[in-house]
Amino acid sequence: MYIAMNRFRVKAGMENEFETIWMNRERHLNEVPGYLEFKLLKGGEVKEGTEEDHTLYASHTIWESYDDFVAWTKSEAFRLAHKGAGDRKPIYVGGPHFEGFEVLLTESR
Ligand code: HEM
């Protein structure tokens, strides 16, 4: 199993705009082989430091395997889901930050 996360730093005051983009986006994941689950995560506000004030968000997806994830990134479904993503630079502090994880243990109640 593989988890892919993309972190976004959204400028203070732009949170509603960012969330509306995700609520209203075109959804293309359901038919993708190996896709299991998607979550949009909202973290805390960040006010200290050298960066502009922002709120942290992350997209979080779970895949059957790393290879399924990579295949999605090269697919038409990925391209369609991202066709508007590059036009919205003014709502972010910097670019997105990708992190991928191989799942070593899964434990649930
Ligand atoms: C390999 C890296 C990336 C991963 C894992 C990823 C993950 C995702 C996922 C899972 C979705 C939802 C797709 C759907 O529902 O069909 C999505 C949409 C979106 N992604 Fe990415 N993404 C990546 C690269 C990027 C980049 C570089 C940006 C640039 C800002 C971006 C911004 C967005 C936005 C704003 C949406 C909402 C859809 C819309 O624009 O209407 N993503 N992404």
Side-chain angles (χ1 to χ4, degrees):
M1 206 174 268
Y2 185 77
I3 293 181
M5 297 180 64
N6 211 17
R7 272 196 277 155
F8 302 92
R9 288 166 295 167
V10 174
K11 283 183 188 168
M14 304 301 246
E15 291 86 354
N16 281 346
E17 190 169 330
F18 178 80
E19 291 174 23
T20 302
I21 290 167
W22 282 86
M23 304 304 162
N24 297 327
R25 77 190 193 283
E26 281 181 29
R27 288 155 166 85
H28 298 280
L29 283 169
N30 274 340
E31 65 278 14
V32 176
Y35 160 73
L36 296 177
E37 190 180 292
F38 166 79
K39 285 184 168 70
L40 182 66
L41 311 178
K42 184 175 188 177
E45 293 173 23
V46 180
K47 290 195 163 162
E48 311 85 61
T50 51
E51 288 181 323
E52 200 174 333
D53 292 355
H54 62 275
T55 300
L56 187 63
Y57 289 85
S59 64
H60 178 288
T61 44
I62 307 179
W63 300 84
E64 276 172 19
S65 70
Y66 171 73
D67 290 346
D68 287 325
F69 165 70
V70 172
W72 171 67
T73 63
K74 297 173 180 168
S75 72
E76 182 68 1
F78 182 92
R79 196 189 65 74
L80 288 172
H82 288 92
K83 63 181 184 218
D87 305 337
R88 307 201 187 87
K89 289 215 172 80
I91 73 171
Y92 301 108
V93 178
H97 182 82
F98 175 79
E99 288 169 323
F101 301 89
E102 199 68 46
V103 176
L104 293 186
L105 282 174
T106 301
E107 299 179 8
S108 29
R109 180 195 158 97

